[in-house]
Amino acid sequence: MPITVGDRLPETTFLTMTEEGPQPVKSTDYFAGRTVALANKEVLVMAGGIVTEAARYHGVAILPVDSEHNAIHQCLHGRDASEIRRLVLTASGGPFRGRRATELLAVTAEEALRHPTWRMGRKITIDSATLMNKGLEVIEAHWLFGVRSDQIEVLVHPQSVVHSLVELTDGSMIAQLGVTDMRLPIQYAFSYPERWDGPLPSLDLARAGRLDFAAPDTVAFPCLRLAYRALDAERSLPVVLNAANEVAVARFLEGRIGFGSIPHVIERTMDAHVPVEVATLAAVRAVDRWAHEYALEIAQGVELKV
């Protein structure tokens, strides 16, 4: 059941935040004395500074459930941010990996929902197809691990065997590999710092065969570039990025706008916004409301003629 303002939480030392979207960003009071297992990207994208400061204030840990950040957490295992040269987030590339921008103009929601590797909800599957999911993860990694945007790299890895990598300052690279199953990062978050026996089969490296890596195409998939832009601007622009994306994806799933209009709606909304400080959750919600309303206006202007 979603937690809302005024809810009284049971006595517990572990809290899992899983609700999709920005809804869990209600109050930081329930961090007190509780380790937080975070499975919601939007919490840190919208209010990363507020949430991480609250965790520090209460002396609690934020354990990422997202497979890529969970992998980085395992690789770092308590290392200080000063030892990190770069983080490498891997991306499957989604259903349209390798296609040019001109080849994406007419793709349908049905096509975009056919993810080659993971079975996920509709919204996050579209985010994977546009690479916005990876962009949101870049912002999330910044807040979780205390690194700059230029220390976070994205590589397309279609096999989804290497879930992420860390390069340390001496040039050593540490990677976390495993079968493609979310039960592993979920169990890690619940068992940390212990390791429990798991039900999953071992990864058969010989059967996995080759592992490919490639730079993402930010011309065909500009949402990743927009996410880096939002992170570099900081303040309220990540809130705008997230809200505009929610509007654009919803309109695309409804068949109202084309696939190529998703980044268009997001960029137009970002261009119209003057970043402001968002030091409170009330300020975050105010920017979120404005961005939703503005993005809806832009989306209505590019609706498909059916």
Side-chain angles (χ1 to χ4, degrees):
M1 188 173 80
I3 297 167
T4 58
V5 174
D7 282 351
R8 184 175 179 81
L9 292 178
E11 292 300 319
T12 178
T13 58
F14 196 88
L15 176 66
T16 307
M17 300 178 71
T18 59
E19 187 182 358
E20 188 173 293
Q23 288 79 9
V25 186
K26 305 286 187 180
S27 170
T28 57
D29 291 342
Y30 49 68
F31 279 45
R34 297 178 177 91
T35 296
V36 178
L38 189 62
N40 175 302
K41 296 178 180 64
E42 293 86 349
V43 168
L44 291 180
V45 171
M46 295 178 66
I50 298 170
V51 170
T52 52
E53 178 57 35
R56 281 192 294 269
Y57 176 79
H58 291 294
V60 297
I62 299 176
L63 298 176
V65 175
D66 211 358
S67 62
E68 293 82 1
H69 302 89
N70 188 276
I72 290 171
H73 192 277
Q74 294 187 55
C75 292
L76 289 175
H77 203 65
R79 292 182 184 276
D80 190 79
S82 64
E83 297 181 63
I84 302 171
R85 179 174 292 172
R86 63 175 169 144
L87 307 179
V88 180
L89 301 173
T90 56
S92 69
F96 306 133
R97 177 176 57 88
R99 294 201 196 182
R100 300 186 184 91
T102 54
E103 298 174 312
L104 296 172
L105 298 177
V107 299
T108 66
E110 183 181 4
E111 291 175 285
L113 288 169
R114 294 179 192 146
H115 196 280
T117 308
W118 298 95
R119 294 182 62 185
M120 307 175 288
R122 286 165 61 83
K123 194 266 183 182
I124 191 173
T125 303
I126 301 302
D127 283 348
S128 179
T130 64
L131 287 192
M132 177 57 86
N133 186 53
K134 208 53 51 179
L136 298 178
E137 289 176 2
V138 167
I139 299 173
E140 189 180 6
H142 161 73
W143 291 112
L144 282 170
F145 305 113
V147 295
R148 304 182 309 273
S149 64
D150 62 358
Q151 291 178 282
I152 308 170
E153 184 179 353
V154 172
L155 287 179
V156 175
H157 171 51
Q159 291 86 2
S160 297
V161 170
V162 179
H163 298 301
S164 277
L165 308 93
V166 173
E167 182 181 8
L168 302 176
T169 50
D170 63 0
S172 298
M173 295 196 75
I174 302 173
Q176 191 269 331
L177 289 72
V179 295
T180 307
D181 194 311
M182 281 303 298
R183 286 178 292 175
L184 180 57
I186 292 170
Q187 178 173 298
Y188 173 84
F190 275 84
S191 68
Y192 183 81
E194 299 176 0
R195 290 277 185 172
W196 297 342
D197 288 339
L200 300 179
S202 297
L203 173 64
D204 188 337
L205 285 171
R207 187 175 180 181
R210 60 183 287 171
L211 302 177
D212 297 299
F213 300 91
D217 181 353
T218 55
V219 174
F221 303 96
C223 285
L224 180 58
R225 170 180 56 80
L226 294 175
Y228 273 100
R229 172 186 163 188
L231 175 56
D232 287 335
E234 289 191 338
R235 296 185 290 175
S236 56
L237 203 56
V239 182
V240 173
L241 171 90
N242 182 73
N245 180 62
E246 287 183 344
V247 170
V249 169
R251 288 277 158 160
F252 172 68
L253 286 170
E254 292 167 0
R256 294 175 178 267
I257 67 173
F259 187 81
S261 291
I262 294 175
H264 172 78
V265 170
I266 298 166
E267 189 161 26
R268 286 282 303 277
T269 307
M270 291 173 68
D271 289 344
H273 180 70
V274 178
V276 297
E277 296 296 336
V278 281
T280 66
L281 293 178
V284 170
R285 287 191 286 270
V287 173
D288 182 60
R289 282 193 300 270
W290 173 87
H292 271 92
E293 293 169 1
Y294 192 91
L296 186 57
E297 290 181 16
I298 300 300
Q300 289 170 342
V302 294
E303 283 194 356
L304 297 170
K305 303 297 186 291
V306 181

